[in-house]
Amino acid sequence: MRRPTLLSPLLALLLAGCATAPDGGRDDRPDEAGAGTADGELWQPAPGIGWQWQLSGRLDTAVDVPVYDIDGFDHTAATVAGLHDDGRKVICYLSTGAWEDWRPDAAKFPASVIGKGNGWEGERWLDIRALDVLEPLMAARLDMCREKGFDAVEPDNMDGYKNTTGFPVTAADQLRYNRLIAELAHDRGMSAGLKNDLDQIPELVDDFDFAVNEQCAQYDECADLTPFIEAGKAVFHVEYELPTSEFCADSRRLRLSSLLKKYELGVWREAC
């Protein structure tokens, strides 16, 4: 989840608009897609690998990077297969910790598990303690990712215990739920990324195959992601408000896969 204390979308666009034009060129990053691509093995992206994260707008498949992270509901098996034909690994973005009112399965979530808003229109926190309700719903979503051919899953909103959700969610509840999501992905032959949830990285680094982070440079948190790098696992990182001159040097030192993006997460990107 992008942090709820955001600038307005218009101001965010103005801040990002001074950066460079859309980047279709190659990153100056390692081209290897990472380890674990043999039959029966999970894909584990390597630190420093290049990537593209696009969750809105018409998908541009011309960005020459080895990893794409795209919305699991919005894209078809043919799109995933096309990216595979171009030599890319593809990550399935899903919200696993929040309810979204526009998703095709939204009506399947009972009101009892839908809590307070998370700062984004149409989204509300889920009661992740209700595993009997949420596990089959999330399993169905992950089945969709597997059937479309995705290599991995980016489960979003994985740190509800640190937010005002409307439920008394504890750190232990969050650990249990996050491990469940990783297990469901692994059972389907897909890797799983830990989204944000920095405080629980020491407990969860062994359960996840990579990390996805937003704004660790802005909040001086990037060093907290070091356990993933030390384990040989990529950290896919984005900033929205800082120019690359303020975070790329540290990102290269820490071996993060860092991008500057606009808040709407369209095709535009500027890589470190």
Side-chain angles (χ1 to χ4, degrees):
M1 178 186 67
R2 300 182 289 277
R3 294 176 185 267
T5 54
L6 300 178
L7 301 174
S8 71
L10 176 59
L11 182 55
L13 290 174
L14 291 173
L15 284 170
C18 62
T20 61
D23 176 6
R26 180 180 297 275
D27 276 344
D28 56 345
R29 289 301 188 87
D31 289 331
E32 67 274 9
T37 57
D39 288 345
E41 295 183 5
L42 295 173
W43 171 58
Q44 184 176 299
I49 192 170
W51 72 307
Q52 166 66 323
W53 196 19
Q54 184 179 348
L55 300 184
S56 69
R58 183 180 179 85
L59 183 66
D60 180 357
T61 61
V63 182
D64 193 1
V65 290
V67 179
Y68 264 69
D69 188 338
I70 62 177
D71 190 282
F73 281 103
D74 290 349
H75 296 288
T76 65
T79 297
V80 177
L83 288 166
H84 283 159
D85 288 344
D86 289 336
R88 279 73 176 269
K89 295 291 186 181
V90 194
I91 300 171
C92 182
Y93 170 89
L94 291 174
S95 182
T96 51
W99 177 77
E100 301 160 308
D101 64 7
W102 68 91
R103 296 302 190 184
D105 61 353
K108 296 180 180 179
F109 290 77
S112 61
V113 301
I114 300 174
K116 294 182 179 294
N118 68 357
W120 294 91
E121 184 177 357
E123 298 187 27
R124 306 183 75 84
W125 289 107
L126 289 169
D127 185 358
I128 61 168
R129 302 169 303 159
L131 299 184
D132 57 331
V133 174
L134 294 183
E135 181 172 354
L137 292 168
M138 295 305 157
R141 289 185 166 192
L142 291 165
D143 285 342
M144 175 191 69
C145 295
R146 177 188 58 188
E147 289 161 5
K148 290 182 177 181
F150 283 94
D151 302 287
V153 178
E154 181 209 332
D156 200 2
N157 297 292
M158 297 283 275
D159 54 359
Y161 81 105
K162 300 273 287 185
N163 292 272
T164 304
T165 64
F167 306 108
V169 175
T170 67
D173 294 326
Q174 194 72 61
L175 287 172
R176 182 166 53 251
Y177 187 70
N178 290 3
R179 286 178 172 136
L180 170 65
I181 297 299
E183 182 181 358
L184 291 173
H186 291 161
D187 287 348
R188 288 155 178 78
M190 296 181 293
S191 304
L194 180 63
K195 181 71 170 287
N196 297 323
D197 195 16
L198 292 168
D199 289 347
Q200 294 188 326
I201 285 175
E203 290 88 356
L204 292 173
V205 63
D206 291 338
D207 297 283
F208 287 84
D209 310 288
F210 57 93
V212 181
N213 175 266
E214 295 167 294
Q215 298 174 281
C216 70
Q218 181 170 342
Y219 294 95
D220 196 24
E221 298 167 337
C222 291
D224 293 345
L225 292 148
T226 299
F228 275 95
I229 300 300
E230 291 178 342
K233 301 175 180 182
V235 173
F236 297 115
H237 160 236
V238 297
E239 293 294 327
Y240 302 111
E241 299 179 16
L242 299 180
T244 54
S245 60
E246 291 191 20
F247 67 89
C248 280
D250 280 342
S251 289
R252 286 189 285 268
R253 178 179 58 83
L254 294 169
R255 301 175 64 204
L256 309 183
S257 300
S258 296
L259 300 175
L260 177 64
K261 296 285 292 186
K262 299 178 183 180
Y263 277 120
E264 74 271 21
L265 292 172
V267 65
W268 188 91
R269 67 195 287 278
E270 186 177 351
C272 289

